[in-house]
Amino acid sequence: MIEAPDLSLSALSPFLFVFGAALVGVLVESFAPRHVRQPTQVALALVGTVGGFACTLLLAGRGEVTAAGALAVDGAGLFLQATIAGLGALSVLLFAERALDPARSAFVASAAVPAGSPRDRELLTDERVQTEVYPLATFAVGGMMLFVAANDLLVMFIALEVLSLPLYLICGLSRRRRLLSQEAAVKYFLLGAFASAFFLYGLALVYGATGTVQLAGIRQSVTDDGTGTLLVLGLGLLVVGLMFKASVAPFHTWTPDVYQGAPTPVTAFMAACTKVAAFGAILRLLYVAFGTADWTWRPLVYGIAIVSMVVGAVLGLTQTDVKRMLAYSSIAHAGFLLTGVIGLDAGTGSGLAATLFYLLAYGLTTVGAFAVVTLVRDGDGEATALAQWAGLARRSPLTAAIMTFLLLALAGIPLTSGFTGKFAVFRAAIEVGAWPLAVVALVTSAVAGFFYLRLVVLMYFSEPAEDGPSVGVPGLPTTIVLAVTVAATLVLGVVPGSVLDLADGAARLVG
Amino acid sequence: MDTVPATGLLASSWLLIALPLAGAAVLLLGGRRTDRWGHLLAIGTVTAAFVLAVLSTVELAGLDERSVGVDLFTFISTGRLDVGAGLLVDPLSMTFALLITGVGALIHVYSVGYMAHDPGRRRFFAYLNLFVAAMLLLVLGDSFVALYVGWEGVGLASYLLIAFWYTRPAAATAAKKAFVMNRVGDVGLALAIFLMFTQLGTTSYEGVFGSVGLLAGGTVTGIGLLLLLGACGKSGQFPLQAWLPDAMEGPTPVSALIHAATMVTAGVYLIARSAPLFDAAPVAQTVVVVIGAVTIMIGAVAGCAYDDIKKVLAWSTVSQIGYMFLAVGLGPVGYAAGIAHLLTHGFFKAGLFLGAGSVMHGMGDRTDMRRFGGLATRMRTTFVTFGLGYLALIGFPFLSGYWTKDAIIEAAFDRGGTSGWVLGGVAVLGAGLTAFYMTRLVLLTFFGEPRWEDGVHPHESPAVMTLPMVVLAVGSVGAGFLLVEAFPLADWLAPVFGEPEEATAHAIPPLAVSVLVTVVVALGVLTAWLLVGRREVPTTAPARVSAPVRAARAGLYADAVNEAVFMRPGIRLVRALRVVDDKGVDGVVNGIGAGLGGSSARLGRAQTGFVRSYALGMLGGAVLVAGALLAVTAG
């Protein structure tokens, strides 16, 4: 007789909403006529993500472990789930933009047609659109939300795959520069598989050492028996797998290539949501499972944070492509986020709240920045070469102003959310005595600030090129995204109090 | 001395500042629409402020605790730093408020006539209102920070008004000079305030004066000297005196109000207000006295040599403020005497400037006294009022200057010892020189043969100008007696400076001092008459003159010294710094940039685009991670 595990349906409601919407999306894709698919799919994806967002809000304040110990419902998890769902909804809006590309979509009409073939050229200008991206993205959002709630290494692994597989696919769906896009997808898939293998191997080692895959069980085992070689090696491999997803150096190599090749709305989605999900899992693994043995991993994370900040900031200096530059910025920000992880200390540190706030602020700003990238276009689609952005402020002062503001936020200038976030994580690191890390973080912030400001200078003080790009007039979806992200970046910078309090109240991990 | 919360009318003393400030705002923001009635509004606000000041003073006089605090709002509150904005209404601040609003109102009225034909009249009145507001904040603030805000405010207004005719290169240059020299002083004041912050954590008068005793002697002296530097800059005292005569490029009402009666006395106010600090720092006090004495002589000597009527009056101001510095530097015996002289000086010097303005108005804006002469009959009211101001200034018995200046000279002698004799001697000599150059001025302007240029038709000024002159002349005659004998200022200011001590032993009997001074003054007048009044006055200044006269004409070479000691080395320093900046700092910065860029390019080569090398990189990273973890656990 097998007992049914306890299952709190209300605690599962965010997942049910998102995955439900995704499944219905698959059915719509199969049975609905072509002309109604796009609006239906967009609506479904929005219902799923916004519904998931609403469900997490309703769950606020809960703290329990459910589904036979496989899922944790706690403040930090819910905050991250809400962040992922919200950023996911914004990304879906970017996917749905129809006004910018002459062919009405950033996604290829038929992904199976070989790139560069006559059929492909025909389809390039066709108004047919690929609508599989919506259920795929919704699945990815669901996987990410599960990822940050997983209280069991196996569930975490499944969530990792659920979020990764759709991403590999939609990375290859760009309508323009298809070879680059497909190359990115294959690279991401291969390296992602490699990273998954690390994670799985680490899982196996941990199971071998402790006899359990549940985080609470591992914690118990670590507390009782200490750390053996097997367990430590397992921890290392798990960390490698997670750091890969979070694009932390030295596991970042895929990031620039994939960010550049993927369709820009997908890049925005990856840069924002995947980062949040990966850091959620990192926090849970390190603090719930290995929190009592933090002396083992603390020096490691310390070193990785420095490497990531330095690599991101220094390599960003010589980039000539806006999307690649933002990719290196993402790597540097991963390092800044790790300072917050270091600053998390049982009892004293404010690192958890700081990291949560940083993830929210960074995600919003990044989605906004990539949304601006989708606006600047020439005959071949998006104009992402830095040189093409010269003098943009003359062509479109508003676009340049929005981009400038978002770049300043990424650089961490006061009165933007970036400053509040950086201040919070650096302070958390200093509180636990990691001030050398904070010093490195400040120096690398300054170095990274250089390449953000270089783009600002380029936009405002350079002569526009003769055949420069034009700035598209966005439709309603992108306009909403820009308005929300800019407003949030400003509000979180000027009056961050209430959101900081919210993050502070949510800063709790059960398990 | 305890400060009590404000009640009644005193609670609204912020209106004193708000009224003229609102006037300035309306005039500046209202633009041309206010051209027609703007000056009336300006007069209205200052007059209302004067009435309010009078009523407040009456109410204050009726209180037992004559020190009233008015809390306005918290200005800065962060960490240990807590700066509240509040006002302090006490006898000293109200005395100044009365002077500022009273003389200010008169000069506003006068300016209506003086600036009648100027296209920028609205702007002029806006700046004047702004000045009055800032000056009132300076004297009414209850902390050094509030004082500093007002201090910078009057500096700004002064700069704007000196450069009022900014199309004249001389005016623009003079404004810049005043600005720069004031800045030197302001740095001193700012540093003094920072010192108070770091040492005491407060800048309120109450807090600072209450804890002077906690400070080391050196610190108090340091704060005192820095405050003195600020005071010297604002009040045109040695070694920062050279800007004041140049400031006469501004319209004459400005010279009267700002550069004679009120703003330039802010330094005296600062030192008097900081009396508890200076009383605890004898060294700083001595420096104040020395600077006062030196400045008396510089101003008096230079005043003898100039032919420009306003510049002579300006040097006279420098010299008279030297008397006030001398007085407040003498400590408790001198504070009230210094303030009394400041008040009477406010009357007669403002009157003299307005008279000079009236003369210029009649002479087509000329200022060269060698081309005046014989104006006594043409401009009767001006002559009489100017004459009364002149007599008050030189210390003619029983007029204002006689009472207040004699008190200072007496206090200087009473200091005792050699220093007392030296200071007293300087003060008496200064009085003689004052009599000389002022008599020379009056003789050149009002007596003798007319030496007017062609096309000049002197005429009396309109009533709107002469009326304020008459009022000020009455003040010049009576104020001294009122303040020293009838209603002694020392008693009124007792809550601030302590009860006046009756000096028991005088170095020289007061009567003897009076007689001595009067004789010296008479000698000065006589000399002037012998040298100037009896002779033919050449219409151009003689070129072949003795060395002392040349020195005096050059303002005792203050500008030359400034140029040689500060300006040229400064320029050289800036050039050297630029070289260091270009070669050194930029080199380092560019080097860092190039280094980062180079390493970025080199690191970037790892980004080959091949999945195999990426995978290898990840594997390497994973090996490092595993190795590091093992090393940590094993170690």
Side-chain angles (χ1 to χ4, degrees):
Chain A
M1 180 69 192
I2 299 170
E3 293 225 354
D6 63 312
L7 205 57
S8 162
L9 280 181
S10 67
L12 293 181
S13 58
F15 309 112
L16 295 178
F17 230 104
V18 176
F19 284 124
L23 289 170
V24 174
V26 173
L27 294 177
V28 168
E29 197 62 28
S30 308
F31 297 109
R34 186 184 291 279
H35 64 274
V36 298
R37 272 188 219 156
Q38 162 85 9
T40 315
Q41 291 287 23
V42 172
L44 261 179
L46 284 176
V47 166
T49 48
V50 174
F53 179 76
C55 288
T56 55
L57 295 190
L58 291 177
L59 287 175
R62 294 274 283 268
E64 63 193 78
V65 175
T66 185
L71 285 182
V73 181
D74 53 21
L78 289 170
F79 188 95
L80 292 171
Q81 283 176 24
T83 307
I84 291 168
L87 293 172
L90 290 177
S91 306
V92 167
L93 285 174
L94 284 184
F95 288 13
E97 177 61 52
R98 309 268 279 161
L100 288 170
D101 198 289
R104 319 264 292 151
S105 172
F107 298 100
V108 67
S110 175
V113 175
S117 64
R119 175 81 181 124
D120 185 40
R121 281 197 287 280
E122 264 173 50
L123 283 174
L124 186 62
T125 51
D126 194 48
E127 294 207 355
R128 273 174 60 185
V129 288
Q130 187 85 348
T131 48
E132 283 96 340
V133 288
Y134 299 103
L136 287 172
T138 316
F139 270 121
V141 169
M144 291 167 185
M145 289 167 69
L146 188 60
F147 202 36
V148 298
N151 195 36
D152 178 318
L153 287 179
L154 268 178
V155 174
M156 196 179 270
F157 177 69
I158 292 168
L160 176 67
E161 293 305 307
V162 171
L163 81 89
S164 300
L165 290 171
L167 280 179
Y168 300 149
L169 265 177
I170 58 178
C171 276
L173 292 184
S174 180
R175 181 175 282 262
R176 309 211 176 235
R177 301 195 184 97
R178 286 192 59 201
L179 283 176
L180 198 63
S181 171
Q182 290 177 351
E183 184 192 331
V186 173
K187 266 184 198 166
Y188 192 21
F189 169 66
L190 287 173
L191 293 170
F194 194 43
S196 293
F198 275 109
F199 187 88
L200 206 51
Y201 195 14
L203 194 164
L205 289 179
V206 169
Y207 181 70
T210 63
T212 177
V213 290
Q214 295 216 331
L215 300 186
I218 296 167
R219 180 191 189 86
Q220 193 63 43
S221 173
V222 169
T223 315
D224 294 345
D225 310 337
T227 50
T229 309
L230 211 54
L231 185 62
V232 168
L233 276 180
L235 168 64
L237 296 183
L238 288 172
V239 166
V240 169
L242 294 176
M243 296 282 183
F244 172 85
K245 278 291 159 202
S247 60
V248 178
F251 312 104
H252 67 284
T253 38
W254 60 277
T255 314
D257 294 10
V258 176
Y259 276 24
Q260 188 186 15
T264 307
V266 175
T267 313
F269 179 51
M270 282 195 299
C273 295
T274 313
K275 182 88 73 192
V276 178
F279 268 95
I282 289 172
L283 286 169
R284 210 170 273 286
L285 176 75
L286 292 181
Y287 281 96
V288 178
F290 291 93
T292 48
D294 62 345
W295 56 274
T296 52
W297 54 261
R298 211 169 260 281
L300 174 73
V301 174
Y302 207 103
I304 290 180
I306 291 177
V307 171
S308 197
M309 290 187 285
V310 169
V311 166
V314 170
L315 279 177
L317 289 177
T318 45
Q319 300 307 313
T320 54
D321 184 282
V322 178
K323 286 168 81 176
R324 284 185 86 85
M325 189 193 91
L326 289 172
Y328 281 105
S329 145
S330 149
I331 296 165
H333 279 281
F336 298 140
L337 278 160
L338 283 179
T339 62
V341 175
I342 287 285
L344 207 165
D345 202 351
T348 57
S350 56
L352 184 53
T355 312
L356 295 183
F357 181 88
Y358 198 111
L359 283 167
L360 174 64
Y362 167 75
L364 285 164
T365 309
T366 302
V367 170
F370 280 110
V372 175
V373 173
T374 65
L375 299 182
V376 183
R377 315 178 73 91
D378 62 9
D380 296 330
E382 287 159 8
T384 55
L386 276 181
Q388 289 177 288
W389 286 56
L392 196 75
R394 302 231 187 117
R395 288 180 206 277
S396 175
L398 182 63
T399 310
I402 290 176
M403 191 63 177
T404 301
F405 179 65
L406 295 170
L407 288 172
L408 292 180
L410 289 174
I413 305 295
L415 296 185
T416 65
S417 61
F419 174 78
T420 320
K422 278 208 174 78
F423 182 77
V425 292
F426 294 171
R427 193 185 58 181
I430 290 170
E431 271 174 13
V432 298
W435 59 265
L437 188 62
V439 170
V440 174
L442 282 175
V443 171
T444 48
S445 297
V447 174
F450 175 79
F451 61 75
Y452 298 123
L453 292 180
R454 194 178 54 166
L455 181 52
V456 174
V457 169
L458 198 64
M459 287 192 294
Y460 278 91
F461 301 112
S462 296
E463 284 298 314
E466 281 293 315
D467 52 347
S470 59
V471 175
V473 178
L476 183 64
T478 308
T479 310
I480 293 176
V481 171
L482 285 172
V484 168
T485 52
V486 169
T489 304
L490 181 67
V491 168
L492 293 183
V494 179
V495 279
S498 55
V499 179
L500 277 176
D501 288 344
L502 192 68
D504 217 33
R508 202 160 60 92
L509 289 164
V510 301
Chain B
M1 178 185 72
D2 295 322
T3 300
V4 297
T7 51
L9 190 63
L10 297 180
S12 43
S13 41
W14 56 272
L15 271 176
L16 280 174
I17 301 168
L19 281 170
L21 193 63
V26 169
L27 290 187
L28 286 176
L29 299 177
R32 295 230 178 80
R33 266 162 292 170
T34 61
D35 270 355
R36 281 184 51 230
W37 45 268
H39 53 283
L40 299 177
L41 174 75
I43 293 173
T45 58
V46 177
T47 312
F50 175 65
V51 172
L52 186 61
V54 170
L55 295 176
S56 303
T57 311
V58 170
E59 185 163 332
L60 182 70
L63 294 179
D64 299 332
E65 287 290 344
R66 278 191 275 161
S67 173
V68 176
V70 184
D71 284 331
L72 295 181
F73 56 89
T74 303
F75 184 45
I76 302 171
S77 180
T78 164
R80 273 181 59 229
L81 195 63
D82 194 8
V83 183
L87 301 182
L88 175 66
V89 179
D90 70 356
L92 181 62
S93 61
M94 284 321 287
T95 305
F96 271 87
L98 284 174
L99 174 74
I100 295 159
T101 52
V103 176
L106 287 175
I107 289 174
H108 271 70
V109 172
Y110 175 91
S111 303
V112 173
Y114 192 82
M115 302 297 285
H117 308 297
D118 197 293
R121 184 170 71 171
R122 175 181 54 82
R123 191 163 54 93
F124 179 81
F125 276 95
Y127 293 161
L128 271 192
N129 256 355
L130 178 69
F131 167 78
V132 171
M135 188 73 202
L136 284 169
L137 175 62
L138 193 163
V139 297
L140 285 170
D142 71 347
S143 71
F144 281 96
V145 170
L147 175 135
Y148 189 78
V149 174
W151 192 269
E152 293 300 323
V154 293
L156 169 70
S158 158
Y159 172 77
L160 290 172
L161 284 165
I162 296 171
F164 184 74
W165 289 311
Y166 53 84
T167 47
R168 295 184 192 166
T173 312
K176 200 161 70 182
K177 185 171 175 183
F179 188 80
V180 171
M181 296 191 81
N182 267 294
R183 202 101 321 250
V184 175
D186 293 353
V187 169
L189 180 56
L191 287 177
I193 294 174
F194 296 155
L195 258 181
M196 293 174 204
F197 263 132
T198 55
Q199 298 294 318
L200 300 169
T202 177
T203 63
S204 74
Y205 294 141
E206 208 173 356
V208 172
F209 300 151
S211 41
V212 168
L214 306 178
L215 290 174
T219 315
V220 182
T221 306
I223 292 177
L225 289 176
L226 287 169
L227 289 177
L228 175 63
L229 180 62
C232 286
K234 196 57 93 194
S235 294
Q237 296 296 288
F238 177 80
L240 298 174
Q241 79 280 18
W243 68 270
L244 188 52
D246 287 16
M248 298 300 126
E249 289 295 337
T252 307
V254 172
S255 311
L257 178 61
I258 301 184
H259 303 122
T262 54
M263 184 190 85
V264 289
T265 57
V268 182
Y269 170 79
L270 177 64
I271 294 173
R273 176 57 86 190
S274 314
L277 266 172
F278 280 95
D279 288 344
V283 178
Q285 255 180 343
T286 309
V287 178
V288 175
V289 170
V290 170
I291 283 184
V294 170
T295 314
I296 291 174
M297 291 316 292
I298 290 178
V301 170
C304 298
Y306 278 75
D307 293 331
D308 181 316
I309 184 168
K310 283 180 73 182
K311 292 218 165 163
V312 174
L313 289 176
W315 281 115
S316 159
T317 305
V318 170
S319 164
Q320 294 301 311
I321 296 173
Y323 277 103
M324 302 171 206
F325 267 62
L326 175 63
V328 293
L330 290 172
V333 295
Y335 290 126
I339 300 295
H341 192 56
L342 189 157
L343 292 175
T344 56
H345 176 257
F347 280 110
F348 57 68
K349 189 53 69 64
L352 286 171
F353 265 111
L354 294 191
S358 176
V359 168
M360 286 162 60
H361 199 68
M363 298 294 288
D365 279 336
R366 283 167 184 77
T367 54
D368 185 359
M369 296 187 292
R370 291 185 185 276
R371 307 310 298 255
F372 292 169
L375 292 176
T377 49
R378 297 298 188 100
M379 310 176 76
R380 211 154 263 293
T381 317
T382 304
F383 170 61
V384 173
T385 54
F386 195 96
L388 289 172
Y390 152 74
L391 292 176
L393 171 57
I394 65 170
F396 191 81
F398 310 116
L399 297 189
S400 283
Y402 165 81
W403 296 104
T404 54
K405 201 190 288 180
D406 275 14
I408 294 174
I409 295 172
E410 219 173 271
F413 277 119
D414 284 350
R415 188 180 163 89
T418 323
S419 67
W421 283 99
V422 172
L423 292 173
V426 167
V428 172
L429 187 59
L433 285 170
T434 306
F436 171 77
Y437 66 72
M438 282 311 293
T439 311
R440 172 173 173 269
L441 185 151
V442 169
L443 289 173
L444 283 175
T445 305
F446 292 102
F447 296 98
E449 291 299 308
R451 304 175 298 278
W452 312 331
E453 287 168 69
D454 297 338
V456 173
H457 305 290
H459 55 85
E460 184 55 279
S461 299
V464 71
M465 288 169 68
T466 49
L467 200 65
M469 288 154 59
V470 171
V471 175
L472 288 171
V474 171
S476 312
V477 172
F481 176 75
L482 288 177
L483 291 173
V484 175
E485 289 294 320
F487 307 102
L489 191 68
D491 293 342
W492 165 243
L493 292 177
V496 184
F497 300 128
E499 291 297 327
E501 302 166 27
E502 269 311 311
T504 44
H506 290 290
I508 307 179
L511 190 64
V513 173
S514 279
V515 171
L516 173 69
V517 173
T518 310
V519 168
V520 172
V521 165
L523 279 175
V525 174
L526 188 68
T527 319
W529 186 72
L530 290 174
L531 291 179
V532 181
R534 283 196 320 165
R535 302 187 187 173
E536 187 83 352
V537 178
T539 51
T540 49
R544 293 169 58 86
V545 289
S546 61
V549 177
R550 259 205 308 279
R553 279 186 185 170
L556 298 183
Y557 301 119
D559 284 334
V561 169
N562 284 341
E563 272 177 33
V565 178
F566 297 108
M567 203 174 95
R568 269 182 240 123
I571 289 173
R572 246 172 266 137
L573 182 67
V574 169
R575 285 209 192 105
L577 282 178
R578 232 188 85 190
V579 172
V580 172
D581 184 54
D582 284 353
K583 298 274 158 61
V585 178
D586 285 8
V588 171
V589 170
N590 292 339
I592 291 175
L596 282 175
S599 49
S600 177
R602 236 161 289 152
L603 273 173
R605 273 185 226 140
Q607 198 76 20
T608 54
F610 292 119
V611 173
R612 54 171 188 265
S613 43
Y614 292 180
L616 188 66
M618 279 176 61
L619 183 65
V623 170
L624 280 180
V625 165
L629 278 174
L630 287 177
V632 169
T633 32

